[in-house]
Amino acid sequence: MALLELKEITMQFGGLTAVDHLDLRLEEGVIFGLIGPNGAGKTTVFNLVTGVYKPTSGSIYFKGERIDGKPPYSITAMGISRTFQNIRIFKSLSALDNVKIGRHCKSSMNLFHSVIPGPFTAREERDIEEKSMEYLRMVGLEHKKDILSKNLPYGEQRRLEIARALACEPKILLLDEPAAGMNRQEKTEIMDLVRRIRDTLGVTVFLVEHDMKVVMGVSETVAVLDYGKKICEGTPSQVQSDERVIEAYLGRRARRTRKAV
Amino acid sequence: MIDAYTIQILVVFGINAIMALGLNLITGVTGQLSLGHAGFMSVGAYTAAIMTLRLHTPYVLNLLAAGVVAGLSGVVLGFPTLRLYGDYLAIATLGFGEIVRVLFLNLEITGGGLGLSAIPSKTNLAVVYACLGITLYVMSKIQKSRVGRALMAIREDEVAAIAMGVNSTSLKVQAFAVGAFFAGISGGLYAHYLTYINPNDFGFMKSIDSLSMVVLGGMGSLPGVLLGAAVLTYAPEKLRFLQNYRMICYGAFLVFMMVFRPNGLLGGTDLRQLVKASFKGLNWGAMAKQGARTREGIGGSKDGIA
Ligand SMILES: Nc1ncnc2c1ncn2[C@@H]1O[C@H](COP(=O)(O)OP(=O)(O)OP(=O)(O)O)[C@@H](O)[C@H]1O
Ligand SMILES: [Mg+2]
């Protein structure tokens, strides 16, 4: 049984078909890359999996259970966690508090627990703090825990967002262009982090990324999306040499150049 | 000994502070602009007054009932409206405040336009400060807890909060309930202090009053709210000649704060962020039909959440 499975997923926005009869299967423990030109529908796929959008048609299964139509917060609680293409950290909260909020699903303390103190509450609060620090350490931000997240440099904000997403101990982590806007060294660090997430935490990684070096470097399987349709899927080397992929990426430009010559 | 006038100011400050602390949870911590908080105070004041006048129940019970009934009205208001975002919510809360006022002006049990009088005078300095102490304790505990962090996450970025597993609708209703509870307590204290109440005591002006207290000190900051309540309780006493221009003063004040001290005097969260989130424009209906379920999807950016 696949960990995550999309069956015949279509998503329309008015007249625009952002995702078109898409089938995807992610086995547990893989690093799966999803690429495609701008506007291909990659982020929309993430929004569908996380329940932000309800697909126009088709179904999504997680651990064999159908999840499309469920509210996003309960999908997260089931074990699907994500980051955003345009970083969405909690800006005026400290780095540590950001990660603590990531642990929301891992605790059940309600309003009454917060007001009425007790050993249970204290222990739980300590546990949240310790675990959150672990994830900060994993992304190398433990020394920045008290800094307001909006004051962190861009690359660190991206890593903080990953720590926050990991804090809920997901089965699968969706990363939407984690290397965007980073320099070469930061990109290497991100690749290393992605591998560590899978190897040490055993989390399946679903990666959307424009940087070919990064996706091809870490993914075991890559699927290519163009105008919402899957045009190719395979190992990085298979995908790189696929006619349709080259066409989709270089497309008109390649043809035009050829004609000019 | 302190003279009667000072005691009066101290009591009124305490009552105002309790109400503002309640509003702070809703607006300062959770980021939901409420323009009808006086409505909850009104519900509390009338609950206490009616209980004592009709049922002759003891003071403490009246206060508790004031809080509980107001809290319940917060839930009743919260369920339908908290699915709304930004300006819709602001308008709905404003409408709530006005509905409560008009309703109490026309009901028999609330004494209509005459209001209720001969409420036993029970509220004193000690009671008010005991209540204020409890309010501060509860609020500081909430803000440092899992629920409090989730509320702040909703304020900071609701889409991201939901993605982290926060059930934002449920938590917003809870914040409204707790905020309304304390406004209700403050209303109960008020009724038993002044001994007569009138629906117009709890009008739109009163709501703006407490909003200004929250904004002045710094939204989300407990010392900030206390400072705001102190300043805005004391200043009007000294500036009585400006009474007729209060609306203008508060309007000017809120704009001034937004431009020069968006984080309040003691550094709370950014007022501009709240206003931006609260008045995002009304062209959302069309995009909502396209299947998006969250604020951003509905209208924040053209391409939805990225
Ligand atoms: N909420 C929405 N309403 C209307 N159109 C949308 C919405 N969300 C996405 N789209 C459209 O769907 C298409 C796919 O968008 P999507 O963001 O998924 O692309 P993407 O592959 O992530 O692109 P990029 O590489 O630029 O991030 C685009 O044409 C976009 O404009
Ligand atoms: Mg995208």
Side-chain angles (χ1 to χ4, degrees):
Chain A
M1 180 180 65
L3 180 64
L4 179 70
E5 187 165 14
L6 281 73
K7 283 188 181 159
E8 287 279 303
I9 286 289
T10 296
M11 182 73 216
Q12 287 174 329
F13 297 107
L16 179 106
T17 305
V19 177
D20 198 354
H21 294 90
L22 177 67
D23 287 298
L24 280 184
R25 271 177 74 91
L26 272 76
E27 299 300 332
E28 188 161 358
V30 296
I31 299 179
F32 189 101
L34 181 65
I35 61 171
N38 288 110
K42 304 177 296 292
T43 298
T44 306
V45 169
F46 275 14
N47 284 334
L48 288 163
V49 172
T50 53
V52 174
Y53 300 143
K54 192 172 156 37
T56 313
S57 67
S59 46
I60 304 175
Y61 295 86
F62 177 63
K63 292 194 281 188
E65 191 179 332
R66 189 159 175 182
I67 56 167
D68 53 287
K70 283 190 195 263
Y73 60 86
S74 66
I75 291 179
T76 307
M78 289 176 73
I80 300 181
S81 179
R82 75 178 288 183
T83 64
F84 295 90
Q85 185 171 350
N86 308 324
I87 306 176
R88 303 187 82 121
I89 47 173
F90 305 121
K91 291 205 187 75
S92 47
L93 303 182
S94 71
L96 180 58
D97 276 344
N98 267 271
V99 184
K100 281 183 174 178
I101 291 162
R103 278 199 81 71
H104 188 81
C105 313
K106 287 281 136 191
S107 164
S108 57
M109 280 191 293
N110 60 28
L111 258 181
F112 293 103
H113 294 124
S114 20
V115 178
I116 298 151
F120 167 75
T121 324
R123 190 159 4 101
E124 187 118 334
E125 209 33 60
R126 213 167 35 238
D127 177 72
I128 291 176
E129 171 130 8
E130 275 166 19
K131 286 277 170 37
S132 304
M133 281 308 294
E134 262 173 45
Y135 290 106
L136 273 183
R137 214 166 291 131
M138 175 152 197
V139 301
L141 289 176
E142 71 272 27
H143 56 293
K144 303 263 179 133
K145 69 180 170 86
D146 294 321
I147 296 189
L148 290 192
S149 60
K150 66 177 165 205
N151 296 332
L152 292 173
Y154 177 84
E156 295 184 354
Q157 293 192 2
R158 282 235 176 258
R159 282 189 307 192
L160 176 63
E161 210 189 10
I162 295 176
R164 183 183 71 179
L166 284 174
C168 68
E169 298 176 20
K171 295 287 286 175
I172 183 169
L173 175 66
L174 277 50
L175 297 173
D176 200 345
E177 304 202 16
M182 294 198 164
N183 61 32
R184 197 175 323 148
Q185 197 209 322
E186 288 172 321
K187 277 180 185 164
T188 321
E189 282 169 19
I190 283 287
M191 285 168 72
D192 174 56
L193 178 60
V194 169
R195 286 195 199 99
R196 270 191 295 139
I197 288 170
R198 197 267 308 268
D199 296 343
T200 63
L201 302 178
V203 175
T204 306
V205 177
F206 191 178
L207 174 71
V208 162
E209 181 54 62
H210 269 301
D211 189 288
M212 287 304 150
K213 261 223 197 81
V214 175
V215 222
M216 299 302 174
V218 296
S219 313
E220 281 124 22
T221 312
V222 175
V224 188
L225 221 54
D226 190 26
Y227 295 110
K229 283 198 175 73
K230 184 166 79 177
I231 55 171
C232 176
E233 182 176 336
T235 63
S237 55
Q238 284 170 344
V239 167
Q240 271 165 314
S241 55
D242 193 287
E243 244 340 280
R244 291 160 300 181
V245 179
I246 298 164
E247 173 82 3
Y249 267 90
L250 305 172
R252 275 130 260 151
R253 187 151 51 96
R255 235 175 286 137
R256 218 178 303 125
T257 339
R258 232 174 289 149
K259 220 180 275 169
V261 174
Chain B
M1 276 307 289
I2 350 175
D3 60 290
Y5 177 67
T6 312
I7 289 182
Q8 185 200 324
I9 291 191
L10 287 174
V11 167
V12 174
F13 157 71
I15 292 175
N16 284 340
I18 293 170
M19 162 138 165
L21 284 167
L23 179 61
N24 179 56
L25 186 70
I26 297 170
T27 302
V29 177
T30 317
Q32 309 299 308
L33 183 59
S34 168
L35 297 177
H37 208 56
F40 298 124
M41 189 183 186
S42 186
V43 169
Y46 274 92
T47 305
I50 291 169
M51 280 188 59
T52 188
L53 293 176
R54 302 246 163 168
L55 308 172
H56 310 289
T57 44
Y59 176 54
V60 175
L61 186 65
N62 299 340
L63 285 186
L64 262 183
V68 170
V69 175
L72 287 178
S73 68
V75 174
V76 169
L77 173 69
F79 262 111
T81 55
L82 287 175
R83 285 166 205 287
L84 305 175
Y85 291 104
D87 37 12
Y88 288 120
L89 178 66
I91 290 165
T93 51
L94 191 153
F96 168 78
E98 281 306 288
I99 288 170
V100 169
R101 191 177 66 85
V102 173
L103 192 68
F104 288 178
L105 272 174
N106 290 288
L107 285 181
E108 203 177 318
I109 192 166
T110 54
L114 290 174
L116 295 174
S117 51
I119 303 163
S121 166
K122 298 271 188 178
T123 300
N124 58 31
L125 206 54
V127 176
V128 170
Y129 281 83
C131 290
L132 180 57
I134 294 171
T135 314
L136 278 170
Y137 171 81
V138 169
M139 291 302 173
S140 70
K141 282 289 179 193
I142 290 180
Q143 289 201 22
K144 279 190 228 119
S145 72
R146 166 181 183 261
V147 172
R149 285 191 297 267
L151 295 177
M152 288 187 272
I154 293 171
R155 174 193 72 205
E156 293 294 307
D157 188 329
E158 189 165 356
V159 169
I162 296 170
M164 290 298 104
V166 172
N167 181 345
S168 69
T169 310
S170 156
L171 279 177
K172 283 193 280 184
V173 171
Q174 291 179 34
F176 252 77
V178 175
F181 174 86
F182 285 104
I185 298 274
S186 133
L189 291 168
Y190 179 91
H192 281 283
Y193 181 69
L194 273 200
T195 72
Y196 55 88
I197 52 175
N198 182 292
N200 293 322
D201 294 351
F202 312 101
F204 180 56
M205 220 28 242
K206 187 89 190 161
S207 295
I208 296 300
D209 250 358
S210 27
L211 185 63
S212 304
M213 290 172 190
V214 173
V215 168
L216 175 65
M219 292 187 306
S221 145
L222 298 182
V225 175
L226 288 181
L227 177 71
V231 170
L232 291 179
T233 304
Y234 191 66
E237 289 291 320
K238 294 288 139 194
L239 303 171
R240 277 189 186 279
F241 60 95
L242 283 177
Q243 197 65 304
N244 294 337
Y245 304 101
R246 267 183 106 167
M247 265 305 199
I248 298 174
C249 293
Y250 275 124
F253 161 74
L254 285 171
V255 171
F256 177 87
M257 289 302 290
M258 197 143 52
V259 176
F260 296 104
R261 284 304 294 232
N263 298 86
L265 296 178
L266 293 187
T269 57
D270 199 320
L271 174 61
R272 287 172 301 195
Q273 191 189 327
L274 173 76
V275 172
K276 230 182 348 196
S278 299
F279 296 94
K280 263 199 169 162
L282 287 157
N283 58 341
W284 297 349
M287 295 199 117
K289 288 201 198 92
Q290 302 179 343
R293 280 203 242 145
T294 50
R295 166 160 41 180
E296 238 61 12
I298 290 167
S301 68
K302 193 171 101 252
D303 285 349
I305 296 162

